[in-house]
Amino acid sequence: MESEFIKLTENVNEIKGLIRTLNETLEQIEKRLSRLEKVDSIEHRVAVNQIDLSDIKEVLERIENTHNNQIQHINRRLDSHLVKIARTEEELFMLKSK
């Protein structure tokens, strides 16, 4: 009877050891999953941002293509105004220096 009790105690201790090992393994798995979730979240944000930037670029290209004539006209007008401003500044400088 005493030997049966010793075997039973050994079996219980073995089961306790297996449960401890199982718990440690589960903790390691949880840590790895946690890290994977963080990486997945970062990858998702990067992917979403890349999509957003691509969409913005496409929209800008479409606007540029459809309104290219208007943009060129505006650029010419701005250039002519800049020339006028430069001439006026030059005239003011000449008047001040007299």
Side-chain angles (χ1 to χ4, degrees):
M1 179 145 178
E2 194 173 314
S3 66
E4 290 177 7
F5 181 74
I6 293 174
K7 285 183 182 181
L8 184 59
T9 304
E10 288 174 355
N11 287 340
V12 168
N13 288 336
E14 188 178 331
I15 291 172
K16 286 180 181 179
L18 290 172
I19 290 174
R20 269 188 243 112
T21 303
L22 179 63
N23 282 335
E24 290 171 2
T25 304
L26 286 174
E27 287 175 11
Q28 290 174 357
I29 290 172
E30 287 175 353
K31 288 178 185 176
R32 288 181 183 173
L33 286 174
S34 174
R35 279 189 247 136
L36 284 174
E37 287 173 1
K38 289 177 185 174
V39 168
D40 187 41
S41 174
I42 291 169
E43 288 176 351
H44 174 72
R45 282 183 277 172
V46 168
V48 168
N49 287 338
Q50 286 175 342
I51 290 170
D52 290 345
L53 291 175
S54 297
D55 290 345
I56 291 169
K57 182 180 177 188
E58 288 175 14
V59 168
L60 289 173
E61 286 174 350
R62 273 190 270 139
I63 289 171
E64 185 179 350
N65 290 336
T66 56
H67 299 291
N68 196 24
N69 290 338
Q70 291 175 346
I71 291 172
Q72 286 177 351
H73 178 68
I74 291 169
N75 282 336
R76 283 193 299 270
R77 288 183 62 195
L78 287 172
D79 286 342
S80 68
H81 285 295
L82 287 172
V83 169
K84 288 178 186 176
I85 291 171
R87 286 182 188 152
T88 305
E89 286 177 339
E90 188 177 324
E91 288 175 9
L92 283 172
F93 181 72
M94 291 165 102
L95 288 173
K96 285 182 180 179
S97 63
K98 286 185 179 180

